[in-house]
Amino acid sequence: MAKIKIDREKCKGCLLCVSVCPKGLITQAEKLNKKGVKPAQFSRRAISSEGGTPLKAGKKGGACLGCSLCAVICPDCCIEVWK
Amino acid sequence: MIKKINNHPKSLRKIPTHYCAGCGHGLAHRLIAEVVDELGIREKVIAIAPVGCAVVAYDYWDFDCSEAAHGRALAVATAIKRVRPDNIVFTYQGDGDLAAIGTNETIHAANRGENLTVIFINNAVYGMTGGQMAPTTLLQQKTATTPKGRDQKLHGYPLKISEILALLPGVKYIERVSLHSPQEITKAKRAIKQAFTNQIEGLGFSLVEVLSSCPTYWGLSPNQALSWMREVMVKEFPLGRIK
Ligand SMILES: Cc1ncc(C[n+]2csc(CCOP(=O)(O)OP(=O)(O)O)c2C)c(N)n1
Ligand code: SF4
């Protein structure tokens, strides 16, 4: 059992985390944050790439591994990893 | 019960930075802050911030910092280290700062073998001033001042300052790393830690060249910028230990 928490107000919407999540559990939110950008959001289940979100092809499905790849690549320290 | 397994570094203030989305400066700041925390040198470290996009790095790091005029970071660092040899002094400089206007200071500090740590951020452009060509701009790369791409006949070749510095006997350690993937980021942190450890052990001049993205002035999305680094930039600037 693992999960991440993304600080949606600090997030600048660079979406680097989206590209590294091996499970495809991070997508771009539809709702703008106070900065006026659509931040990254986490969901416990993989979301399809519909809605224009640039999801990486690869192994999808399954739960968060707590692998921390998203937190490692986040340039703005927006991601907490819980495991 | 699950627990939080990553912590915000103590040496980095919890405030938003002014960097563009996906910019490598934020990552490099974090890696340095993590290394300073892990080595327990927060009370001893003194950073010299550059002129460039990272000019206000002193607002982000939560340890002592000084600013230097454009390119002069290694001259300021030399002075501080000689007056306060017990402090751990490092410079953080872009390619415009370290390898254009500051080439002279860089080469001479390295040649004197000053016991300093240098974090050299190579993003192949001048970010702060609007994306002009830097010495490290790749051939054919389009910038504000090379709109048709860098042409060696007009602009010369990308400057391999790390390889040049490696020739100097005063230089102890040089490694080139990149921030284009979590794996490479982890290696970059290891190199940064080595460069600080060298200074703590009194071994001499240590430099880590960090390939870092500038999506804004490369005209790419943050993810495309990382692909460009992986596919193009590392061919011109090969990664690994140079000295
Ligand atoms: C003496 C002096 N000359 C020129 C400038 C203008 N200037 C500010 S930043 C910069 C280049 C910054 O590029 P780089 O060091 O690569 O850092 P980046 O912004 O890409 O991180 C220049 C030329 C200045 N501030 N001072
Ligand atoms: S202009 Fe380039 S180097 Fe400067 S903050 Fe933006 S992405 Fe970073």
Side-chain angles (χ1 to χ4, degrees):
Chain A
M1 250 286 278
K3 66 174 180 181
I4 60 163
K5 288 186 190 169
I6 301 175
D7 184 337
R8 77 180 307 275
E9 291 308 326
K10 210 177 174 200
C11 176
K12 296 173 181 169
C14 72
L15 306 181
L16 296 182
C17 54
V18 173
S19 73
V20 299
C21 176
K23 297 290 181 187
L25 299 174
I26 311 175
T27 53
Q28 186 169 24
E30 282 305 316
K31 212 169 147 239
L32 300 176
N33 65 13
K34 289 193 189 112
K35 283 194 181 75
V37 304
K38 292 179 178 173
Q41 67 181 5
F42 172 70
S43 54
R44 283 175 181 274
R45 262 186 242 128
I47 295 173
S48 80
S49 55
E50 280 154 36
T53 312
L55 270 184
K56 201 181 112 188
K59 241 198 273 171
K60 294 287 175 315
C64 173
L65 302 166
C67 68
S68 303
L69 295 181
C70 54
V72 170
I73 208 161
C74 175
D76 295 288
C77 294
C78 302
I79 303 182
E80 283 180 3
V81 185
W82 291 70
K83 198 176 180 179
Chain B
M1 264 303 277
I2 56 174
K3 286 197 307 268
K4 186 150 70 103
I5 59 167
N6 67 330
N7 287 313
H8 194 283
K10 287 198 172 59
S11 293
L12 198 64
R13 293 204 169 97
K14 284 188 176 167
I15 53 170
T17 66
H18 71 289
Y19 299 119
C20 305
C23 173
H25 276 303
L27 269 172
H29 286 15
R30 188 190 83 217
L31 297 184
I32 292 168
E34 287 174 356
V35 165
V36 167
D37 284 359
E38 286 168 22
L39 294 174
I41 53 172
R42 193 164 159 225
E43 297 300 322
K44 283 171 90 177
V45 80
I46 302 176
I48 319 295
V51 171
C53 283
V55 66
V56 292
Y58 47 71
D59 281 345
Y60 304 140
W61 285 315
D62 203 353
F63 44 67
D64 286 341
C65 299
S66 169
E67 179 55 58
H70 200 16
R72 278 40 174 173
L74 275 164
V76 173
T78 298
I80 293 179
K81 183 72 183 179
R82 287 187 177 204
V83 174
R84 305 181 63 102
D86 293 337
N87 285 90
I88 304 301
V89 183
F90 79 95
T91 69
Y92 180 99
Q93 303 176 258
D95 39 61
D97 194 86
L98 180 140
I101 195 169
T103 320
N104 191 7
E105 281 76 5
T106 304
I107 289 183
H108 287 289
N111 193 44
R112 293 191 304 270
E114 301 290 345
N115 187 25
L116 295 169
T117 303
V118 181
I119 310 300
F120 165 37
I121 306 295
N122 178 357
N123 61 8
V125 283
Y126 287 5
M128 187 193 205
T129 44
Q132 294 86 355
M133 188 192 91
T136 48
T137 295
L138 305 201
L139 293 178
Q140 277 93 52
Q141 186 185 334
K142 291 194 172 112
T143 69
T145 44
T146 56
K148 293 184 182 153
R150 182 175 188 164
D151 172 358
Q152 79 271 16
K153 286 202 203 96
L154 267 176
H155 315 113
Y157 294 88
L159 188 65
K160 305 278 176 59
I161 190 83
S162 290
E163 279 83 350
I164 294 172
L165 294 175
L167 297 171
L168 303 174
V171 172
K172 176 68 194 170
Y173 169 80
I174 300 198
E175 181 153 350
R176 187 182 286 120
V177 297
S178 174
L179 302 180
H180 68 249
S181 70
Q183 293 74 16
E184 295 301 331
I185 291 167
T186 306
K187 285 192 208 159
K189 180 171 165 185
R190 214 176 298 145
I192 291 171
K193 198 167 195 174
Q194 185 66 54
F196 277 95
T197 308
N198 288 350
Q199 184 179 161
I200 293 167
E201 291 173 0
L203 297 182
F205 194 91
S206 299
L207 179 146
V208 182
E209 175 173 341
V210 182
L211 305 186
S212 173
S213 85
C214 176
T216 303
Y217 290 115
W218 295 353
L220 300 172
S221 75
N223 271 307
Q224 288 169 334
L226 297 197
S227 304
W228 186 77
M229 290 167 78
R230 189 181 302 119
E231 285 151 25
V232 183
M233 197 175 180
V234 300
K235 298 217 171 86
E236 184 65 36
F237 294 106
L239 304 183
R241 183 91 181 245
I242 297 171
K243 185 168 188 180

